[in-house]
Amino acid sequence: MRTIRSRFRLRSATLAGALGAALLLAPLPAQQAVAASTLTNPGFESDGAGTATPSGWSTYSAAGQNAASFTEAGGHSGGHRLSHWSSSAYKVETYQYLSGLADGTYTLSAWVRSGGGQNAAYLALRNCGSAEQRTDLPVTTSSWIRVVTSVKVVGGGCTISVNSDANAGNWLNVDDLTFTSGSTGLTVKGVDLSALKKNEDFGATYKNAAGTTGDPVALLKGVGATYGRLKVWVNPADGYNTKTQVLATAKRVKAQGMKLLVDFHYSDIWADPGAQSKPAAWAGHSYGQLRTDVYNHTYDVLNALKAQGTTADMVQIGNEINTGMLWPEGSTSNWPQLAGLLNSGISAAKAVSSSTQIALHLANGGDNALYRTWFDNATAQGVSYDVIALSFYGYWHGALSSLQTNLDDIAARYGKKVMVAETAYPFRLDSEDAHENIIDLSSELVSGYPASPSGQSAWLRDVMNVVEAVPGGRGLGVVYWEPAWTAVTGNGWDPTDPSSGNAWENQALFDYDSRLLPAANWFAHR
């Protein structure tokens, strides 16, 4: 996790008119199947500005607030867009019914913006002969983001719908919709459980949302988690996150039917862009010996996992290696040597299991220039891998639109699957223990995402939406970082200091009463 050591140590719309009080959206009135099988006016260019019901579309509001839906100048492409806005609270839906569709799975794609604050703002696919599907609009303000949602069409018809249940002044924009054959979804809906064993050893317990105590791995699996991520240190001072603990927790992950992602740090302590310290046992080794060390360590851990029936499904060779690993020999200032170290780890992983996917993991997930430079070098040096993994924390790494730009570009440029291997968000700002939290000020938050259970839920939801929208099905998924690292005395950030505190408990997925938070339910979404 980026800067973890230093951070732990330191602390538009056009006026649509004033409208009456909003009522709940009623079901759509009966529709005649007279529409075409392709979207009409998907870019809202046919009518100019100020049209409440654009050509090809219908508008519905139970309270007669149709004027809250209108076209205006300023599209994602072209000259116009659809907007929802009113100076008073409103509920409105803009929709188009398609008929004559061949049965099968279809995906809706749209470019969207939203100022946030609505009770609900989403795209929906309904009346399609299967369960309604929705995708909520991220809070994006000035930047457009592409979102997708897919549905199984049975019976030849489907309604494409833009919905707002909004407070006075809330707004959204939608443009450039497409509705084509294909499906979306995420394979990796992961949780990093590296701190779990130590947390439990020092007394942590976990409960479901109703307050019933249970196995945290089972609780997370029960709300849809499909992957467990475990970091490996070589010889840490506290004896945790070694092969022994990884083997034990891997059994629990696999017993729940989840897949396993193993994250090699090649260090005795946190490895990130600001610190890639060699393990003490390797400190005096030559570059050639370090290559052997990497191979032997990687093979030893992965082969032990295989021997106990918990073969790793994916392996990270290094953690947040923006600047390389095993400094100074493996610094990015010497790419041939860094490539040699990476290839040693990759060879060891593939020797244990040829089907194990290899991920290379950087931080700063919104920095496209960094990723192009780094992976251009990796390609030139012949580094072989399967997945590009990113850390993306919005309070450090930029806007969601920057994440999307980077994911889309690197997936296409390198022809690889991409995933967010680390993200998280606070559900409150205060600390449960005496240690200052990494994020503990409102000024540190991402605009539109409060430090609350709902803000945390929206953040995870929207990061997942962005990854799901990567073209070509190359968006693998998202891993939430350390959801079970709650505040217990003895399991602080510093493995060399038993008295150190936890600066992360306000970003866990279990609250200060040890109950599972609502954000975890998003793992079950598609």
Side-chain angles (χ1 to χ4, degrees), residues 502-524:
N502 184 354
W504 196 256
E505 75 271 19
N506 69 324
Q507 299 195 62
L509 291 180
F510 292 89
D511 67 16
Y512 289 4
D513 293 320
S514 301
R515 295 190 183 206
L516 194 64
L517 285 156
N521 293 317
W522 281 102
F523 292 129

Side-chain angles (χ1 to χ4, degrees), residues 359-520:
L360 299 179
H361 172 218
L362 310 187
N364 303 83
D367 187 346
N368 184 237
L370 164 69
Y371 279 73
R372 280 189 166 218
T373 299
W374 202 98
F375 282 96
D376 281 357
N377 275 301
T379 300
Q381 295 295 328
V383 178
S384 177
Y385 62 97
D386 305 296
V387 177
I388 298 176
L390 307 81
S391 291
F392 185 75
Y393 298 93
Y395 38 73
W396 293 330
H397 296 158
L400 284 167
S401 56
S402 298
L403 172 65
Q404 181 164 80
T405 296
N406 191 32
L407 288 171
D408 290 358
D409 179 67
I410 61 179
R413 184 178 180 89
Y414 305 107
K416 302 295 184 182
K417 299 280 190 177
V418 294
M419 63 181 287
V420 172
E422 293 186 22
T423 195
Y425 204 77
F427 63 90
R428 59 195 294 170
L429 292 175
D430 61 313
S431 296
E432 186 176 11
D433 63 9
H435 194 84
E436 179 186 8
N437 288 333
I438 267 189
I439 301 298
D440 63 350
L441 300 173
S442 58
S443 60
E444 296 173 308
L445 298 174
V446 180
S447 178
Y449 297 89
S452 66
S454 62
Q456 183 187 57
S457 293
W459 178 257
L460 179 56
R461 176 198 74 198
D462 293 345
V463 172
M464 293 173 73
N465 284 348
V466 167
V467 177
E468 185 181 18
V470 175
R474 289 194 172 119
L476 273 181
V478 175
V479 177
Y480 196 95
W481 198 73
E482 292 288 14
W485 193 9
T486 56
V488 294
T489 302
N491 188 14
W493 74 271
D494 187 353
T496 69
D497 180 6
S499 67
S500 64
N502 184 354
W504 196 256
E505 75 271 19
N506 69 324
Q507 299 195 62
L509 291 180
F510 292 89
D511 67 16
Y512 289 4
D513 293 320
S514 301
R515 295 190 183 206
L516 194 64
L517 285 156

Side-chain angles (χ1 to χ4, degrees), residues 229-288:
R229 180 180 187 247
L230 302 174
K231 72 170 174 274
V232 188
W233 287 339
V234 176
N235 188 25
D238 63 357
Y240 285 89
N241 298 117
T242 65
K243 180 177 75 172
T244 300
Q245 284 76 38
V246 168
L247 289 169
T249 308
K251 284 184 177 180
R252 296 172 65 181
V253 168
K254 290 281 191 169
Q256 293 297 328
M258 298 165 67
K259 293 188 174 182
L260 178 64
L261 166 56
V262 179
D263 172 19
F264 285 94
H265 282 227
Y266 302 111
S267 181
D268 292 335
I269 198 167
W270 305 103
D272 57 49
Q276 293 285 338
S277 304
K278 288 195 289 286
W282 305 357
H285 290 185
S286 67
Y287 168 69

Side-chain angles (χ1 to χ4, degrees), residues 20 23 29 34-35 51 91 100 102 115 122 152 173 189 249 270 287 327 377-378 453 455 466 489 507-508:
L23 300 173
V34 296
T51 302
K91 292 185 175 76
Y122 60 93
K152 184 177 181 180
N173 302 146
K189 291 174 278 189
T249 308
W270 305 103
Y287 168 69
W327 289 347
N377 275 301
V466 167
T489 302
Q507 299 195 62

Side-chain angles (χ1 to χ4, degrees), residues 141-346:
T141 60
S142 62
S143 300
W144 290 92
I145 285 183
R146 185 185 61 259
V147 296
V148 297
T149 187
S150 60
V151 72
K152 184 177 181 180
V153 172
V154 179
C158 193
T159 298
I160 287 82
S161 175
V162 182
N163 300 264
S164 290
D165 175 358
N167 301 301
N170 294 161
W171 62 271
L172 64 77
N173 302 146
V174 177
D175 201 7
D176 294 339
L177 296 95
T178 64
F179 189 70
T180 56
S181 295
S183 63
T184 65
L186 299 176
T187 301
V188 177
K189 291 174 278 189
V191 285
D192 190 310
L193 299 173
S194 300
L196 177 61
K197 180 67 169 66
K198 187 174 181 181
N199 234 43
E200 290 178 323
D201 286 351
F202 281 88
T205 58
Y206 301 88
K207 304 172 186 176
N208 65 15
T212 301
T213 300
D215 174 7
V217 185
L219 293 176
L220 291 164
K221 167 64 176 179
V223 292
T226 62
Y227 257 82
R229 180 180 187 247
L230 302 174
K231 72 170 174 274
V232 188
W233 287 339
V234 176
N235 188 25
D238 63 357
Y240 285 89
N241 298 117
T242 65
K243 180 177 75 172
T244 300
Q245 284 76 38
V246 168
L247 289 169
T249 308
K251 284 184 177 180
R252 296 172 65 181
V253 168
K254 290 281 191 169
Q256 293 297 328
M258 298 165 67
K259 293 188 174 182
L260 178 64
L261 166 56
V262 179
D263 172 19
F264 285 94
H265 282 227
Y266 302 111
S267 181
D268 292 335
I269 198 167
W270 305 103
D272 57 49
Q276 293 285 338
S277 304
K278 288 195 289 286
W282 305 357
H285 290 185
S286 67
Y287 168 69
Q289 182 60 48
L290 288 172
R291 289 195 63 176
T292 301
D293 294 333
V294 168
Y295 186 97
N296 289 344
H297 172 61
T298 306
Y299 187 93
D300 179 49
V301 174
L302 296 180
N303 195 50
L305 286 165
K306 181 180 179 180
Q308 71 170 14
T310 58
T311 300
D313 299 282
M314 189 183 299
V315 172
Q316 283 179 218
I317 306 300
N319 186 78
E320 294 190 332
I321 51 176
N322 304 33
T323 50
M325 64 188 214
L326 293 168
W327 289 347
E329 288 82 359
S331 166
T332 49
S333 63
N334 191 334
W335 255 101
Q337 289 195 174
L338 173 56
L341 294 168
L342 292 171
N343 282 329
S344 289
I346 292 165

